[in-house]
Amino acid sequence: MRFQRSLGAASLSGVLLAAFSISALAQASKHALTPDDWDHWRSISSPVISNDGRWVAYSLVPQVGDGELVVRATSGSTEYHVLRGFIGRPQMVAGSRDTTNAATPAVITADGKFALALTYAPMSEYDRARREKRRPADQPKASLAIVSLANGQVTSIPKVRSFRAARESGSWVAYLLEPSDSVNANRAARDSSNRARGLQGNAATPGGSPRPVSDSAGGRGRRPEFGSTLVLRNLATGVERRINDVTTYAFDDSAKWLGYTVSSRDNAKDGAYVVAPANGNDIALLSGRGAYKQFAFDRAGSQAAFVSDRDEVNKDHPRFTLYYANLKSPSAQVAVTSAAVGEELGVSDNGRVSFTRRGNAILFGVAPAPLDSIPADSLYDKAVFDLWSWKDPRLQPQQKLEANRDRVRSFETIYNIATKKFVRLANDSMPTVSVSDDGRVALAASAERYAIERMWGDEGDDVYLIDATTGSRKLIHEKISGSAQLSPDAKYVLLFDNGHWFSYAVATGKTVDLTAPVKNVSFAQETWDTPSTPAPWGVAGFTKGDKSVILYDRYDLWEIDPSGVQPARNVTNSVGRQEHIVFRLAEGGR
């Protein structure tokens, strides 16, 4: 039996039996709680389990302060602890809904030999940097911790911006270093020069938000952001290879290829490249002056895609193109140009590029063309005002907080590799979509019609099914109170509404209440403590072929036939509820 998630797959060996003993809590020494106690109260964050089920990694995160990584064997008493530094960071942005005191997950390599995680300086270092008003380049930087699970030895690599490990290979890790001091100095000098010229975020739109500016009054194109050093490390031997001026990078699942993009002061080196880690041979998919972004492989490691403005780099306002490469004969070809998308929209450099799970289509973003640049002597920013209407679906303070996000928003579009046709799936009314593994069907859950009602808590989503080959849309359910997701094989849409799970059969249009027959069990959170509709406990995933779906109640897992024919089965035999043990599917190390 195999679980399939809407965005991937996990085997039953990935089921982590996380036991939370109520009696253990009662045994703790009792004293009056204070706000200081709350700040130091640690919780388990971002658990992962190795592919072989032998290791579990998680972070202990306080509400405010320094945390640690714990890597623990699932049998025996072996346990390793690594200080992660200041990961318990309070939410300090007014109006933001995102929490910041959750640690980024560690990674356990596919072979179960290493655990990898970013670590940070202690909270005291960040406090000192703030008091000293250090510039961003001089703030504390993250490090990469590589933990050998054979003996617990930790290798720490300083000044690491990000890292990647392949999903199905434990041989390699790639990590991107922070820019060198010379690059930081050049950026600081450039920013200082811009501020002196009045070009650093001082131009405002009627909403009070910064507006894009050109490099100079008569300058061409956007200002380049140069890359930094990418390091490819063999985890077994520790041997490393360095690649200069890298901006983005990715492994294919098997680590047969490492793909990366370069932005260099030597324009001739700009480009999108792949390298075979096993032999170190670099291949240029496309090169030449320009910006190259959003590199992606398919799961098989046989195809790659990215976006670049190379062909329009000499224009006043260069637009991006989606490129595709078959790695059997590595050379990137034009897939979709901005001109093909239209005058008002173009290929976005901010939209995430990815392949469908089966590799037959590419997902990318399209976005409105950037606003014209503002000459250095413009008087546009001399009068700054806020313009708001009572019909706006978002209050003005929220509009300000979300202005940067709105500015880089893109709409998901699909490109069919065989037919060489593209279809725009998302739009202003349906800004977010999910796509089936084969790229035939997409699902959109849109709250746009209820945006104003949402201000006083009357929320809801309209659910649409989209033919991804034509773009045609069908409304299948109005104003559900919960979530909607597409099954991996696109046979069903799973809906949560008013405490019940429903399935919608894509082929027949039949809707079935899946959880009504399950008596005396709540699939909504009975511990919900706010005056709003309770959320569901969640979904573990679908089994192979969409034959069944695994749902959570407060403690246990239930296997349910999405067609509604077979009776529900309690997978964990009610042990969770009887023993107060919470059973959940834990993601693998990748």
Side-chain angles (χ1 to χ4, degrees):
M1 183 181 185
R2 186 172 63 126
F3 284 144
Q4 285 188 317
R5 303 193 67 119
S6 59
L7 296 179
S11 66
L12 271 174
S13 65
V15 175
L16 173 62
L17 308 184
F20 302 94
S21 172
I22 294 178
S23 61
L25 294 176
Q27 295 172 6
S29 59
K30 297 179 180 180
H31 67 275
L33 294 177
T34 67
D36 185 63
D37 293 318
W38 173 254
D39 285 349
H40 294 88
W41 200 337
R42 301 196 300 179
S43 58
I44 292 176
S45 175
S46 310
V48 296
I49 191 166
S50 62
N51 290 342
D52 59 11
R54 296 178 58 193
W55 296 94
V56 172
Y58 57 89
S59 290
L60 293 176
V61 186
Q63 295 299 312
V64 180
D66 300 336
E68 64 179 325
L69 173 71
V70 180
V71 185
R72 181 174 181 171
T74 54
S75 61
S77 59
T78 302
E79 187 171 283
Y80 306 129
H81 290 249
V82 179
L83 297 178
R84 292 203 70 180
F86 188 28
I87 56 176
R89 305 186 185 189
Q91 176 53 261
M92 302 299 289
V93 179
S96 177
R97 298 182 180 182
D98 298 327
T99 180
T100 56
N101 64 339
T104 54
V107 170
I108 301 177
T109 55
D111 57 8
K113 293 182 178 180
F114 295 90
L116 313 168
L118 289 179
T119 62
Y120 305 87
M123 178 179 171
S124 58
E125 282 294 310
Y126 285 90
D127 288 343
R128 187 169 71 176
R130 186 179 66 252
R131 290 193 302 269
E132 294 174 357
K133 298 181 180 180
R134 298 181 193 171
R135 59 180 185 166
D138 296 328
Q139 295 286 332
K141 304 301 181 185
S143 298
L144 172 62
I146 303 175
V147 185
S148 171
L149 300 185
N151 54 24
Q153 181 178 349
V154 179
T155 301
S156 184
I157 302 169
K159 295 186 178 180
V160 172
R161 175 175 289 185
S162 62
F163 73 93
R164 301 282 188 275
R167 184 184 297 271
E168 298 171 1
S169 171
S171 300
W172 305 92
V173 63
Y175 58 89
L176 191 66
L177 296 175
E178 291 286 350
S180 65
D181 291 339
S182 60
V183 173
N184 287 331
N186 290 335
R187 286 181 177 174
R190 182 196 67 199
D191 292 343
S192 176
S193 174
N194 286 341
R195 284 192 293 270
R197 292 160 52 200
L199 295 178
Q200 182 77 10
N202 63 346
T205 63
S209 303
R211 186 176 174 184
V213 295
S214 63
D215 197 9
S216 62
R220 290 192 170 196
R222 53 181 60 81
R223 182 185 298 112
E225 288 292 338
F226 300 115
S228 57
T229 301
L230 178 69
V231 182
L232 177 62
R233 180 185 179 97
N234 186 308
L235 285 168
T237 65
V239 174
E240 294 184 339
R241 179 193 173 187
R242 296 182 171 235
I243 306 170
N244 295 326
D245 303 323
V246 172
T247 52
T248 62
Y249 63 104
F251 278 112
D252 76 293
D253 281 2
S254 65
K256 179 171 59 177
W257 298 105
L258 172 67
Y260 60 94
T261 59
V262 169
S263 178
S264 173
R265 286 173 174 75
D266 181 355
N267 297 147
K269 296 180 180 179
D270 292 350
Y273 301 83
V274 293
V275 58
N279 57 35
N281 293 335
D282 292 272
I283 301 171
L285 301 181
L286 188 71
S287 61
R289 181 185 169 214
Y292 299 78
K293 298 184 176 183
Q294 306 296 337
F295 197 101
F297 289 108
D298 69 338
R299 294 181 68 87
S302 60
Q303 303 172 103
F306 57 91
V307 299
S308 175
D309 63 358
R310 172 184 180 273
D311 293 338
E312 295 193 8
V313 72
N314 291 320
K315 294 184 178 180
D316 287 338
H317 304 292
R319 304 171 76 190
F320 279 78
T321 293
L322 174 70
Y323 288 89
Y324 164 77
N326 186 321
L327 298 179
K328 291 181 180 179
S329 54
S331 179
Q333 308 295 324
V334 171
V336 181
T337 65
S338 286
V341 175
E343 290 294 328
E344 296 184 356
L345 294 173
V347 174
S348 173
D349 60 323
N350 294 304
R352 178 173 174 264
V353 174
S354 64
F355 284 83
T356 55
R357 185 175 179 86
R358 296 188 184 175
N360 62 327
I362 304 171
L363 301 171
F364 67 102
V366 299
L371 298 173
D372 291 340
S373 59
I374 303 173
D377 60 351
S378 171
L379 299 178
Y380 184 86
D381 63 326
K382 301 306 179 183
V384 179
F385 60 92
D386 293 338
L387 181 63
W388 179 76
S389 166
W390 66 273
K391 294 182 179 181
D392 284 354
R394 292 179 294 172
L395 295 176
Q396 183 66 12
Q398 183 181 0
Q399 292 181 33
K400 287 184 175 181
L401 284 170
E402 298 176 352
N404 288 333
R405 186 198 67 181
D406 293 342
R407 196 172 296 115
V408 298
R409 181 176 62 171
S410 62
F411 302 112
E412 190 146 85
T413 304
I414 188 167
Y415 171 76
N416 188 295
I417 296 170
T419 64
K420 298 184 178 181
K421 294 181 179 179
F422 68 91
V423 176
R424 179 181 167 190
L425 302 176
N427 55 36
D428 286 319
S429 300
M430 287 177 277
T432 305
V433 299
S434 58
V435 182
S436 63
D437 289 353
D438 61 6
R440 294 184 301 106
V441 180
L443 183 74
S446 173
E448 299 303 309
R449 287 175 58 190
Y450 314 109
I452 293 179
E453 291 95 324
R454 183 171 53 196
M455 295 182 189
W456 52 82
D458 188 11
E459 299 188 56
D461 284 327
D462 292 337
V463 183
Y464 295 85
L465 202 61
I466 305 171
D467 184 335
T469 63
T470 65
S472 63
R473 293 164 168 77
K474 178 183 179 182
L475 177 65
I476 63 172
H477 210 298
E478 284 190 292
K479 203 175 184 180
I480 65 170
S481 62
S483 58
Q485 69 180 68
L486 193 63
S487 65
D489 286 356
K491 294 179 181 178
Y492 299 96
V493 176
L494 188 65
L495 308 156
F496 188 80
D497 189 29
N498 293 319
H500 286 242
W501 283 106
F502 297 83
S503 69
Y504 173 90
V506 174
T508 65
K510 181 182 178 181
T511 300
V512 176
D513 188 335
L514 299 178
T515 52
V518 184
K519 304 301 181 182
N520 302 317
V521 175
S522 175
F523 290 90
Q525 296 184 27
E526 60 261 45
T527 57
W528 198 258
D529 59 358
T530 62
S532 58
T533 305
W537 285 110
V539 184
F542 282 80
T543 57
K544 188 175 181 180
D546 293 352
K547 290 183 178 180
S548 60
V549 60
I550 310 299
L551 303 176
Y552 298 137
D553 70 10
R554 184 177 181 181
Y555 298 103
D556 293 297
L557 279 67
W558 294 80
E559 182 179 16
I560 296 180
D561 176 7
S563 69
V565 175
Q566 300 297 324
R569 180 174 72 93
N570 190 311
V571 177
T572 47
N573 201 28
S574 298
V575 170
R577 187 165 295 276
Q578 294 168 10
E579 303 294 334
H580 289 155
I581 297 174
V582 176
F583 290 86
R584 291 295 183 261
L585 175 70
E587 298 289 350
R590 285 293 303 133

